[in-house]
Each structure stands twice: as structure tokens, then as C-alpha cells.
Amino acid sequence: MTTIAVVEGDGIGHEVIPIARKVLEALHPEFEFFPVDVGYGMWERTGCPCADKEINALKTADAILFGAITTPPMKDYQSVVLRIRKALDLYANLRPVKAEGFDILIVRENTEGLYSGIEESGPDRATTLRVVTRKGSERIVRSAIRLTQRRSGRLTIGHKANVLKSDVLFRDICLHEARVAGVTFNDKYIDALALDLLQHPALYDVVVTTNIFGDILSDVASYLVGGLGLTPSANIGDRYALFEPVHGSAPDIAGRNIANPIAAIRSAAMLLDYLGDRDGASGVEIAIGTVISQGILTPDLGGSAGTREFGKAVIRSLIKNR
């Protein structure tokens, strides 16, 4: 029995994740789903956004379908997403950006860097320690190399080694591993890379970079496909895997049935691919394309379809073409 943990999270997560779950159920009625409640709403009710109980529950699943989480700018509030990534050692964050003419996969180190969680805050100074280790750098670039080889593509290493000593370590490890593996590769300063990727997306295939750079670069790259409402992601470790839309919880539009569920549905497709159902994953993408071609669009794409209506249309197309 394949088990899927479902975390709706906060905000629009309660609207888009149920649709992504229904997509999975349409293709795999044999899957067993169970809910796990974490996030800001959980903190408001209990005083703890994510306890050991929830972490242990996530570890029992074959895969995790994860919604958006609200992280308020409060000094003592622990980021749920960072805690889960570290507890499950989900060190590879995969963020595809694909449309006609280009197919980019951003591979982001997911457990250290500026999101190390080692911080101090006072009235006049706040400090976050940027941690880049040999282990973390080696395993993320090796993941990126394997993906590059699978795609018969080219690896681009994004860094800021001209300013940050920690990126000198990251860059040098990536260059060494790429040479040993024999893949085609190059490296670019992250700021120049962000601009060039927008101007010439067809030149890029797999991009590997550190935590915060990958976070920002993938958000920037979402411009190429219509915004954050369309971009999915996977968080992969050696034992666990979590799939989530790149967008946030968007509390300003939550509950209004106008959120775009495509990123969540595509995250479900990535989950299927991870579990070995590549045909199912491809079918989901085809269904999304079919619905868009019919002019059924959510407001962020210039249409008038609601979140639920768009989701139902995708599921109808998916079932019709099975």
C-alpha cells in the first residue's frame, strides 16, 4: 500500500492541496492518504506549529503532498518548512521551469546556507550564519550531475565566489565533481545568471546553486512561465520526499476561490514521477495544457475560472484521456 501524507498548511493551501489530492486519487484510487496538520494555524490553536508527533507521522509516508505555510516575522517562531527539511534531511530542492522552447531544472541545496537556522537577534544587531559544508556541497552537486546525465544536458553552477568565501568552497567542489563526472558544465555569478536566464532561457538546462540563491533564482525564473502559481517543486532526500508548490500561503486571497492550483497539481505530478508513474505524471501535464488551451484560466492568468472549477476541469480531462 502506497501511503501519502497530506499537509494542507495555511492560507490557499486549504484550497489547492485538496485539488492536487483529487488528481492523485483519480489516477491511483488505491493510494492511502492521511492528513498531517502543521503550520501557523496549528500554532494559533496549540502554541506549536510542528511537534515531534507530526514529524514522526511524515516519516511513515511513502511521499508527502505539502501545501503553503505561513511564517510570520516573529522572533520566536520556528519555520515549519525549515524544520521539516532538516528533520527529514531533504537536501535536494528541485524546481522545474518549463515551457515551449526551454526546459530548466533548478537544483537548490536545501538544508544549509543562509537557511542554516543559526541566528542571533538583538535590539541593534541580528546575525544569520551562512553555512556551506563539503558534505552539503558534494551531495547537492552530485544530485545535479545525475539529473544532468539523465537529461543528456548541461550543468550550470551558480555562485558568488567573487564576494563570498563560503561560495569559493561551493564553487570549487562543484567544478571538481563536474570534471570528474565528465558532464558539460559552466559556472556563472548568480546575479549575472539571473539576468541571462531570463533573457536566454533556452541556453540553460540544469542549474545548481546554494540555498537562498536557489530560492530567489527559481522565483525569478517563474516569470518565464506565468508566475509562482504555476511552478512546482520537490524536496528529495535519501529516505523521504516532499512535494509542494513554490508559492506561499497568500492569506490575502485565501478562501476566495481565486488561487491558481496549477503549481499544486504539478507538484502532485512530480510526486507520481518520484513513485515511478511517469505516464501518470505526463498525463497530468497534458491535462493542464488541455484545460488552458480551452481558455479555462484562473484570474492570475487573465481568466475567470475559480480554483475549484479549474481543478475539476483538469480532473475531467485526465479521466477522459486515461
Side-chain angles (χ1 to χ4, degrees), residues 34-322:
F34 66 93
V36 178
D37 191 7
V38 302
Y40 183 61
M42 179 77 161
W43 178 84
E44 289 183 309
R45 293 190 301 273
T46 68
C48 178
C50 181
D52 290 344
K53 176 183 176 183
E54 284 71 47
I55 294 293
N56 291 334
L58 294 175
K59 289 181 176 180
T60 67
D62 293 300
I64 303 162
L65 181 63
F66 196 86
I69 296 290
T70 296
T71 304
M74 296 164 52
K75 179 179 177 181
D76 298 323
Y77 187 89
Q78 182 187 35
S79 169
V80 171
V81 174
L82 294 188
R83 182 178 181 202
I84 291 173
R85 287 173 182 167
K86 290 186 177 181
L88 276 60
D89 200 22
L90 305 173
Y91 60 85
N93 186 203
L94 311 182
R95 297 188 171 190
V97 183
K98 181 179 180 180
E100 185 176 354
F102 62 87
D103 182 359
I104 304 166
L105 179 59
I106 297 173
V107 182
R108 165 195 176 199
E109 199 292 316
N110 212 27
T111 58
E112 50 184 42
L114 268 180
Y115 294 162
S116 66
I118 305 172
E119 299 184 288
E120 294 180 358
S121 181
D124 301 309
R125 172 174 168 158
T127 303
T128 299
L129 183 64
R130 186 177 196 265
V131 178
V132 175
T133 68
R134 176 169 296 279
K135 176 184 176 181
S137 299
E138 286 179 344
R139 66 182 185 176
I140 194 61
V141 72
R142 288 170 183 171
S143 294
I145 287 169
R146 287 193 295 271
L147 291 163
T148 303
Q149 291 169 330
R150 187 181 306 168
R151 293 157 61 103
S152 300
R154 176 175 182 171
L155 178 67
T156 299
I157 301 158
H159 60 83
K160 196 64 177 170
N162 58 326
V163 175
L164 301 171
K165 297 300 183 186
S166 52
D167 261 24
V168 174
L169 176 66
F170 176 78
R171 179 203 61 189
D172 289 352
I173 289 172
C174 289
L175 291 175
H176 170 75
E177 293 291 333
R179 291 188 187 103
V180 170
V183 295
T184 302
F185 69 94
N186 67 342
D187 71 294
K188 286 183 177 291
Y189 295 137
I190 196 68
D191 43 358
L193 172 58
L195 177 61
D196 197 52
L197 187 143
L198 288 180
Q199 293 179 322
H200 308 105
L203 298 180
Y204 292 92
D205 182 26
V206 177
V207 179
V208 64
T209 189
T210 54
N211 203 327
I212 197 167
F213 289 160
D215 192 4
I216 295 169
L217 186 66
S218 57
D219 282 9
V220 168
S222 71
Y223 167 81
L224 296 167
V225 294
L228 293 176
L230 287 80
T231 48
S233 75
N235 300 263
I236 308 292
D238 293 332
R239 296 181 60 189
Y240 308 106
L242 180 152
F243 303 84
E244 61 176 335
V246 171
H247 62 67
S249 60
D252 57 322
I253 64 169
R256 296 169 55 190
N257 193 39
I258 62 174
N260 191 330
I262 290 178
I265 296 171
R266 282 179 167 160
S267 297
M270 294 184 77
L271 184 153
L272 289 173
D273 185 74
Y274 171 79
L275 293 176
D277 184 6
R278 293 187 176 180
D279 289 340
S282 177
V284 171
E285 286 292 343
I286 292 171
I288 291 171
T290 298
V291 171
I292 290 175
S293 69
Q294 293 170 347
I296 302 173
L297 305 170
T298 47
D300 60 309
L301 298 180
S304 59
T307 308
R308 292 186 295 272
E309 290 69 32
F310 186 92
K312 288 176 182 178
V314 169
I315 293 169
R316 283 197 302 269
S317 177
L318 191 62
I319 292 173
K320 180 180 178 180
N321 295 294
R322 286 186 64 180

Side-chain angles (χ1 to χ4, degrees), residues 6-19:
V6 180
V7 181
E8 292 186 5
D10 300 308
I12 62 172
H14 295 299
E15 299 173 75
V16 299
I17 292 302
I19 292 171

